Amino acid sequence: MLRPPWSRVPLMSAGVLLATALTGCSLFGRAEGATNPGAGNAATAAGESGRVSLIQKLGTDGPVRTLEVDPSGRWQCRDCAGDGVDSTGSLNPEQTQRLQRMLADPALAQETDQARHYKQTCIDALTSTLLISPELTITSQDCPGEEKPPVAYEILLLLTQTTPAEDKG
């Protein structure tokens, strides 16, 4: 079996990382002089903020779609369907409560890219990154055989099934 050229993986990884960093900075900026909670408090930090961002990219050339959800369930999606259209809306109260319960789940700390030693393995797959706090970044790809982190995958499903942030390509 021929392996695809790995030179494309760093390019895609760099693009996802850049989008992640830019979105993460805007969502989770801290006041000057604020302290950074340690990784051991990651689940607590997630539960306190109640915010989440979803960044998705299909392959190396696809547009970057960004969904931001605040603790009240209000969301804003940029380039939601990969067509350049932005939209806003709100989760219903049950969806908002469910999302907040999942964001506060201590199991998320074991699902982070760092805890799983995550490495992207597919080229031209849909890559989804959840930014829950500066300490909680969870990436997954729609690749055959890739295990999905259970709590993060439930969050991903909730967000993609209740907003326009889904793969339509």
Side-chain angles (χ1 to χ4, degrees):
M1 176 173 129
L2 289 176
R3 295 195 147 228
W6 288 104
S7 61
R8 291 173 50 187
V9 172
L11 179 62
M12 184 173 89
S13 297
V16 170
L17 182 61
L18 177 61
T20 300
L22 292 175
T23 302
C25 289
S26 69
L27 284 177
F28 302 110
R30 296 183 184 276
E32 213 171 295
T35 59
N36 187 12
N41 296 328
T44 303
E48 289 173 3
S49 76
R51 295 182 179 277
V52 63
S53 288
L54 169 62
I55 300 168
Q56 293 184 307
K57 183 170 182 171
L58 182 60
T60 56
D61 299 327
V64 175
R65 298 186 297 264
T66 305
L67 172 71
E68 299 171 8
V69 184
D70 73 18
S72 72
R74 283 180 287 144
W75 54 263
Q76 177 180 355
C77 191
R78 287 187 219 113
D79 200 11
C80 300
D83 57 5
V85 176
D86 298 347
S87 61
T88 59
S90 292
L91 302 176
N92 69 38
E94 184 276 325
Q95 293 165 337
T96 302
Q97 289 174 354
R98 183 172 163 229
L99 176 61
Q100 293 305 312
R101 278 192 308 270
M102 289 187 288
L103 290 174
D105 190 326
L108 281 174
Q110 298 307 311
E111 296 183 8
T112 66
D113 292 353
Q114 182 178 5
R116 295 181 299 140
H117 305 286
Y118 183 77
K119 294 190 182 346
Q120 295 179 347
T121 56
C122 294
I123 294 178
D124 291 333
L126 178 65
T127 302
S128 300
T129 301
L130 289 170
L131 297 169
I132 299 168
S133 74
E135 297 84 15
L136 291 174
T137 300
I138 303 169
T139 304
S140 62
Q141 287 186 293
D142 285 345
C143 296
E146 179 171 294
E147 288 187 37
K148 307 289 187 220
V151 178
Y153 188 64
E154 286 299 314
I155 293 170
L156 177 63
L157 287 177
L158 173 67
L159 296 179
T160 57
Q161 292 172 353
T162 58
T163 70
E166 63 181 331
D167 178 25
K168 298 195 182 195

